[in-house]
Structures are given as C-alpha cells and as structure tokens.
Amino acid sequence: MPANDRSRRITIDDVARSAGVSRQTVSRAVNDKPEIDPATRQRVLLVAQSMGYRPSRFARGMVGPGLTTLGLVIADVLNPFFPEVVSGVLAAADERGWQVAVYSTGSALERETAVAETVVNHVDACIAFLLDPGAIELIRRSGMPFVLLDNEHRPPAVSGGRIDFAGGMRQVVGHLVERGHRRIVMLDDRGRPDAGDRGTRHSLFLGAAAELGLPADESWVFPAANSLDGGAAAMDDVLDTGFGATAVLGYNDLIAIGAMRRARDRGVRVPEDCAFVGCDGLTLSRLVDPPLTTLTVDKELLGRAAVRQVAAQMTGAGTGETVIEPRLVVRASS
Amino acid sequence: MPANDRSRRITIDDVARSAGVSRQTVSRAVNDKPEIDPATRQRVLLVAQSMGYRPSRFARGMVGPGLTTLGLVIADVLNPFFPEVVSGVLAAADERGWQVAVYSTGSALERETAVAETVVNHVDACIAFLLDPGAIELIRRSGMPFVLLDNEHRPPAVSGGRIDFAGGMRQVVGHLVERGHRRIVMLDDRGRPDAGDRGTRHSLFLGAAAELGLPADESWVFPAANSLDGGAAAMDDVLDTGFGATAVLGYNDLIAIGAMRRARDRGVRVPEDCAFVGCDGLTLSRLVDPPLTTLTVDKELLGRAAVRQVAAQMTGAGTGETVIEPRLVVRASS
DNA sequence: AACGTTCCCGTGAGCGCTCACGGAGCACTG
DNA sequence: CAGTGCTCCGTGAGCGCTCACGGGAACGTT
C-alpha cells in the first residue's frame, strides 16, 4: 500500500472500480443508505478506507444545499473582549446548524481589505468587527448577509450591532460625579479612526461630562494603544503631565487595568487618590486588585443578536440594528 | 426589483441570460479576467449585482483546488486557555492560506461525538482537544490529517501535541519543597476521564512528590470543576476537611485562582499561611492579587506546532508528536 | 488583395457527487 | 405459470462553475 498519489485525489469512481461496484453503491455504503447488502457495504467501506477515500465536500455541496458557513471577523482573539462574542456566535450558529469560520485582522487596519476579500469568496454570510470603509464596502457589495458590529460609522445599508454608549457614558460620569470627582481623564483607543466624530466613546464621554456641568474638553482625553501596556504608558502620560485627574476612564477594561496597575506601581492609592473605571465588563475586571468598576456589556448577547440578524437577512428581511444596553457595575476601584 | 426568490439560487446562467452574454463572459467579468471589453464587464457586473448573484463556492471548489478548511475543536472559548491556542492556529493557518472553522464542545463530553461527525464531513483537516475515544476514533478513521492536543490517552496512530508535565510537575513540587512545604494539595479537574492513569497531571504530581520524598497519596488530590467557582468550591473542601495544606496546586490557573480567592475570603493569608500554584500561565495569572506562580505553557506555540503537523500530514508524512516544555514562573503567591 | 494579429466572445467538456429511475434476481402467492 | 412484491444494484442526468479551445470581427501588414 503506497502513500497516496498527491497529484489527484481519490474519487468515488476510483473506489467503485476498485471494489467492483458502481458509484451509487459506494455512495450508499459511505452515506449509510439502506438499499445495500450489509456484506457489500462492509467490503466497499474497507476498500474505501484502504484507498484513503474522502468524499469531496464541494461535490456534495453542489447537489445538496451544502453547509452554511458563517464568517466571523474579529480583531484579535487575544483581546479578552472577543472570546465572549465568539462564544455567543458559535452557540447561536450551532443552533442553526451552521459552521463558523473565524478570521482575525490582528487589529491591523491595513489587513482588513485582504481579510474582507477572503471572506467574500469563501463564506455565505458575515459578522465582522471592521473599521476600514473599503473593506466594509467590499463585503456589502458582495450582497451576502452582513452584520457589522461596534462601528460608529456604519453605512446605513448594512445591519449592525451597537452598544448604547451614550447611556453608558452618562452612567459612568454620573457615578464619578456623585463620588465627588471633578477632573476625569479618558484614555482613548488611538487605534480607531476618526475618533473625534459623534458616536464614539470619546465624544460621548465629553458630552456626558458637559451635560453634568464639568468643563471637559479635548485635553481630558489621552490616546492609548489598545492593550495593558498601552494603558500603562498612557497613565504615565497622565501622571507626568500633572493633569491632576482624580478619576480615569479607560476606553476598555484592558486599558483601564493597565493604567490602574501602573498608577499603583507609582504610588497612587486606588481609589483614594484616583478612581478607575473601565468599559466592557471583562471577567478579568472582577479578578484584578482592586476589582475594577466597569461598564459591563453582554458580549455573548451581542454575538447571538448578530447571528439572529444574519439569519433574518437570509430569509429576505432588510437591514436592521440591535442595540445593547450596558450596565455599570461598581466595584472597589471607584 | 422584488426580493430574491428564496426557492432557487441565482446562477451564472441566469445572469448570462439576463445580460445577453454567455456564462463565460459573466465569469470573466466576475473574476477580473483580461479577455473582456471593459464596457461589457461593467454592464455584466451591474446586472449581476442587481440580481443578487453570488458565485457558488462549491461549484468553484469543484473545478479549482478550492480553499483548505482546517477544523479546530476546542472545549470552550471562554476558558482563557484556548484563545491563545486559537491565536496560534489562526496565524499559522493564515500563513498557509487556510481557513479555520472553530467548533466548541462546551466542555461536554457527550457533545464530542456530534462535533466530530460534523468535522469529518465539513473540513479538510482537524486539530482537536477531545477526550471521548469514540469521537477521536471517528476522526481518525475518516483518514483526514488530524492532530490531537493535550490528551494523555492519545492512540498511537494519531499525531499529537503534548505538554511535558512530567518535567513541569518536578519543577513545581521542587519549588514548593524548597520553600519548605511538606503538605501539598492538588485540585484536579474532575471533568477529565481516567484521572488515575499514568501521564495525567494528577499522577505526575503524585509521582514528583514521591520522588522528592513526600508521603503523597490519593488523599492529596481533591476534585474540582474546571472553572473559578469550581476552584473555590474545592478550596472549601480542603479547608473544611482540615487537611492542613500549606500549598495548593491547581490543575490550571482558573482553578488555582478560584481557590486562592476563596482562601483569602476565608481569612487565609497568601502565601504565608498557604501558597498557590497554577498551571498554564494565563495572562490573567499576572493580574490577580497576589500574582500567581504558575507553570507557564506557550499555548500559541502549541497551536502553531499543531498546524505544522497537520501540514506535514498533508504532504504524506506520517504521524508524530510535538512536546512543549513548560516553564515555572514564580510570583508572589508562593 | 491575401494574410497574420489582436481583441472579444461563445461552446463543449468535465470536476465529484447524489437523486430519480429502472432492471435483474429471488421468493412467495393464487 | 403468470403475477406481485421485495431486495439489491446500476445508469443517466444534472448541480454551477472554470478551462481549453475555436471563431468572428476589426485592424494592420506584406
């Protein structure tokens, strides 16, 4: 028994010929169809196995309806925000008998177009965290069911899942003001484009602060790379510039935690000298010291809702929007 | 323009007819082939778009080589062990131009067979964390390239990725003995079958302890559910039975952290009264309080190595084994 | 004027599989 | 012995697409 000839794959006809039966009989054996003699099935199966026969999923997909593959584009699995979304998507897709292909852009804007091109050619529907308008347009134009998540600049023609950070930021700032804070810094994710636009956490934070009578302006916002280290570095900036913040709001928990750790390392007492608040509500935020106050988002629900919207589009429904309401969970860091 | 007829999908011939050209011309337009008049291409593309035409990836796969889809079966994305593996697999698969379909068993042994069946029919190769021998056999028999990870009972006929916990456990116990500990408890994952066999962390821990002269036996091992809460509950058992442990080793970081938190909540000082050590080296373990000593495993490397093995099998190479060496990172918890 | 070239487009064939049908062989009935 | 039913198996057709080839029109060349 030589190794497989790598030039051409083994087909059902090869097996049929080798077993001295017809294609159809091989098909019956492989697919557990009833109209076949048990002895024949056994023999055919043995031949198939020994030849290393594996049915082509493409040929199968041609005749039957084939399996629906849902593409899920995320920035980075290592960012603890995404596993929860993935979990929701996997569960909801599984309920519908779909397969999920995961793509990661590695948080690199320039990779988004390449990923979008792959997605367009190889999946039946798509749920994506994307920022590059070109990449988004590419998928939109393909005409496949498409849900875009967590993008404040979503074109009106595509469905989306949005988190109501307007309400969320009011909760956060309200809480801090109530605790007596008057000088609040936000560590923004500098990786996101057009950060000054309406609808971003950035602008919603400033808006909420203004609403509550704080003299907030752009100087209250510090850019940070989206990681623990990014948060730490941004905290250095805040402390070094002598801004005098009594509270720090992170674009997300990762940034907030990184900042909080750096602050403590530099002798800042939390929350006495400075309070810290995050966004997203990662499991992680409960476990750090001190436990982090955070604007919790049900990320699993976000994933499930996205699948539901994709499914709706498949049955011909139009585009829509799902809004998730965040909830402020107050812990020891504020 | 009415909504799509959901009964039958639009084919290339539909577009051809509607645009008054041949199939081939449509194909040329859609695939950006050169042998076509730019004006015709534009017109055809417009028709195709308006009809909602999307090429069938199955039909495409029939003729060309098609895209390789790698199946990745994990227990649960929410378990922070897996995202790092997924990250490695995604990166390595991407380098080879493969797509990755992720499946989750939800840590439910009884779901493994169903997942295995899906995998067998819908992917070209498979990397899996599986425990059920039936599910494993199912994939093995399919003849597809297959790498089984983190399973001490792997059949010899399948490739695998293994973490050298024998050496790891010697490091852990050695470290604890050096610190003066003589009575060490292990919180084992009770979800894994045949926990008493050779090769499990459980037995390797007892072996290492015996090697170093400790009177270890089965009573030193407490079962725990694989989660933070599971670790906490197991810690309750340890404390309530009055075992008098001065050090606790978790099956993984999750269990160890859960246990450590519960211990502190009950007034145990860490590490003065009791030291804690985890396994896996999650990012998380650095951030908890106190930072957790842990046997760190390069999970991303594990994923990459698995992809490399799968690729090797595709080119006809036989089965093999990759061994990853863990490294003890000592922090404040011990 | 006859020929080659280039550009654009269409026609068969075939990828590997399953579905719908038909037919051979056997047993059992009236 | 014809008729009926059942079990098992094989034959065409077709899924939607691309590749290889060929052909017509318009141009330029000798």
Side-chain angles (χ1 to χ4, degrees):
Chain A
M1 54 190 81
N4 285 350
D5 184 356
R6 53 218 166 289
S7 62
R8 202 181 59 86
R9 75 176 291 149
I10 314 271
T11 75
I12 198 172
D13 288 293
D14 296 329
V15 178
R17 209 168 316 123
S18 178
V21 294
S22 72
R23 284 186 314 234
Q24 187 58 20
T25 300
V26 177
S27 173
R28 281 191 265 254
V30 170
N31 297 6
D32 258 321
K33 293 287 173 63
E35 314 97 336
I36 184 174
D37 187 291
T40 315
R41 156 178 299 139
Q42 208 54 37
R43 190 166 51 84
V44 170
L45 247 34
L46 233 62
V47 173
Q49 170 112 21
S50 80
M51 295 178 73
Y53 168 66
R54 306 211 328 101
S56 151
R57 69 166 191 279
F58 294 114
R60 276 186 166 163
M62 284 245 56
V63 45
L67 181 67
T68 299
T69 299
L70 174 64
L72 174 59
V73 181
I74 61 177
D76 187 359
V77 238
L78 295 182
N79 180 334
F81 176 86
F82 291 106
E84 299 193 36
V85 180
V86 173
S87 175
V89 170
L90 284 181
D94 193 67
E95 284 168 11
R96 292 169 170 78
W98 297 350
Q99 191 185 45
V100 178
V102 178
Y103 301 85
S104 169
T105 65
S107 301
L109 216 60
E110 64 277 12
R111 281 204 53 202
E112 293 195 355
T113 305
V115 172
E117 248 153 18
T118 311
V119 163
V120 161
N121 285 320
H122 298 292
V123 304
D124 305 305
C126 182
I127 295 173
F129 292 81
L130 284 171
L131 296 171
D132 178 36
I136 292 168
E137 176 62 9
L138 212 60
I139 301 180
R140 194 195 62 71
R141 267 215 314 256
S142 80
M144 76 170 84
F146 179 29
V147 172
L148 185 60
L149 297 180
D150 192 30
N151 183 315
E152 304 88 2
H153 310 96
R154 178 165 47 83
V158 344
S159 279
R162 193 169 66 76
I163 301 160
D164 174 29
F165 277 110
M169 285 299 168
R170 272 193 292 269
Q171 292 183 58
V172 168
V173 180
H175 162 73
L176 291 174
V177 166
E178 204 172 279
R179 288 278 207 273
H181 296 281
R182 287 286 173 274
R183 211 160 162 71
I184 306 171
V185 149
M186 173 172 180
L187 308 183
D188 195 27
D189 176 9
R190 67 157 160 245
R192 295 182 76 93
D194 303 324
D197 283 10
R198 304 190 61 71
T200 60
R201 301 184 200 185
H202 172 132
S203 59
L204 293 170
F205 160 68
L206 292 179
E211 257 181 48
L212 290 164
L214 300 181
D217 59 33
E218 289 291 335
S219 72
W220 288 33
V221 178
F222 287 69
N226 186 2
S227 64
L228 288 167
D229 292 339
M235 193 66 217
D236 280 333
D237 289 345
V238 172
L239 294 173
D240 294 343
T241 57
F243 185 85
T246 67
V248 171
L249 165 64
Y251 178 87
N252 57 28
D253 286 348
L254 234 43
I255 290 176
I257 292 171
M260 182 167 76
R261 289 175 61 81
R262 175 59 51 90
R264 292 190 86 188
D265 288 348
R266 292 183 57 169
V268 177
R269 289 171 309 161
V270 179
E272 294 82 0
D273 300 336
C274 184
F276 285 83
V277 178
C279 281
D280 290 349
L282 303 183
T283 311
L284 184 55
S285 62
R286 247 182 56 208
L287 302 175
V288 295
D289 186 54
L292 184 71
T293 293
T294 178
L295 196 59
T296 301
V297 174
D298 191 335
K299 298 158 288 296
E300 205 154 344
L301 179 62
L302 183 64
R304 302 191 78 99
V307 173
R308 204 175 310 125
Q309 281 193 69
V310 161
Q313 286 183 47
M314 290 206 172
T315 65
T319 60
E321 184 183 66
T322 305
V323 179
I324 308 268
E325 291 298 333
R327 190 172 49 85
L328 184 68
V329 174
V330 179
R331 300 207 184 91
S333 73
S334 73
Chain B
M1 54 191 83
N4 286 350
D5 183 355
R6 54 219 165 290
S7 61
R8 203 181 60 84
R9 75 175 293 150
I10 315 270
T11 74
I12 197 172
D13 288 292
D14 296 330
V15 178
R17 210 168 315 127
S18 178
V21 294
S22 72
R23 285 187 311 237
Q24 187 59 19
T25 301
V26 177
S27 174
R28 281 190 265 254
V30 170
N31 296 5
D32 258 321
K33 292 287 173 66
E35 314 97 335
I36 183 175
D37 188 291
T40 314
R41 155 177 298 138
Q42 209 54 37
R43 190 166 51 84
V44 169
L45 247 32
L46 232 61
V47 173
Q49 171 112 20
S50 80
M51 295 178 72
Y53 168 66
R54 306 213 326 102
S56 152
R57 70 167 191 280
F58 294 113
R60 276 185 167 164
M62 283 246 56
V63 46
L67 181 66
T68 299
T69 299
L70 175 64
L72 174 59
V73 181
I74 60 177
D76 187 359
V77 238
L78 295 182
N79 180 334
F81 176 87
F82 291 106
E84 299 194 35
V85 180
V86 172
S87 175
V89 170
L90 283 181
D94 193 67
E95 285 168 11
R96 292 168 170 78
W98 297 350
Q99 191 185 45
V100 179
V102 177
Y103 301 84
S104 169
T105 64
S107 302
L109 216 61
E110 64 277 12
R111 281 204 53 202
E112 293 196 354
T113 304
V115 172
E117 247 152 18
T118 312
V119 163
V120 162
N121 286 319
H122 299 293
V123 304
D124 304 304
C126 182
I127 295 173
F129 291 81
L130 284 171
L131 296 171
D132 178 35
I136 293 169
E137 176 63 9
L138 213 61
I139 301 181
R140 193 195 63 71
R141 268 215 315 255
S142 80
M144 78 171 83
F146 179 29
V147 173
L148 184 61
L149 298 179
D150 193 30
N151 184 315
E152 304 88 1
H153 311 95
R154 176 165 49 83
V158 344
S159 279
R162 193 167 66 77
I163 300 159
D164 174 29
F165 277 111
M169 285 299 167
R170 273 193 291 268
Q171 291 183 58
V172 169
V173 180
H175 162 73
L176 290 174
V177 166
E178 206 171 278
R179 287 280 206 271
H181 296 282
R182 288 287 172 274
R183 213 159 158 72
I184 307 170
V185 150
M186 172 173 182
L187 307 183
D188 194 28
D189 176 9
R190 69 156 159 244
R192 295 182 76 93
D194 303 323
D197 283 10
R198 305 189 60 72
T200 61
R201 301 185 199 185
H202 172 132
S203 59
L204 293 170
F205 160 68
L206 291 180
E211 257 180 49
L212 289 163
L214 300 180
D217 60 35
E218 289 292 333
S219 72
W220 287 32
V221 178
F222 286 69
N226 187 2
S227 65
L228 288 167
D229 292 339
M235 193 67 218
D236 279 333
D237 289 345
V238 172
L239 294 172
D240 293 344
T241 57
F243 184 86
T246 67
V248 172
L249 165 64
Y251 177 88
N252 57 27
D253 286 348
L254 234 43
I255 290 176
I257 292 171
M260 183 167 75
R261 289 175 61 80
R262 175 59 52 90
R264 293 188 87 187
D265 287 349
R266 293 183 57 169
V268 176
R269 291 171 307 163
V270 179
E272 294 81 0
D273 298 337
C274 185
F276 285 82
V277 179
C279 280
D280 289 349
L282 303 183
T283 312
L284 183 55
S285 62
R286 250 182 54 209
L287 302 175
V288 294
D289 187 55
L292 184 70
T293 293
T294 178
L295 197 58
T296 300
V297 174
D298 191 335
K299 298 159 287 297
E300 206 155 344
L301 179 63
L302 184 64
R304 301 191 80 98
V307 174
R308 205 175 310 127
Q309 282 193 69
V310 161
Q313 287 182 47
M314 290 206 172
T315 64
T319 60
E321 184 183 68
T322 305
V323 179
I324 308 268
E325 291 298 332
R327 191 171 49 84
L328 184 69
V329 174
V330 179
R331 301 206 185 92
S333 74
S334 71

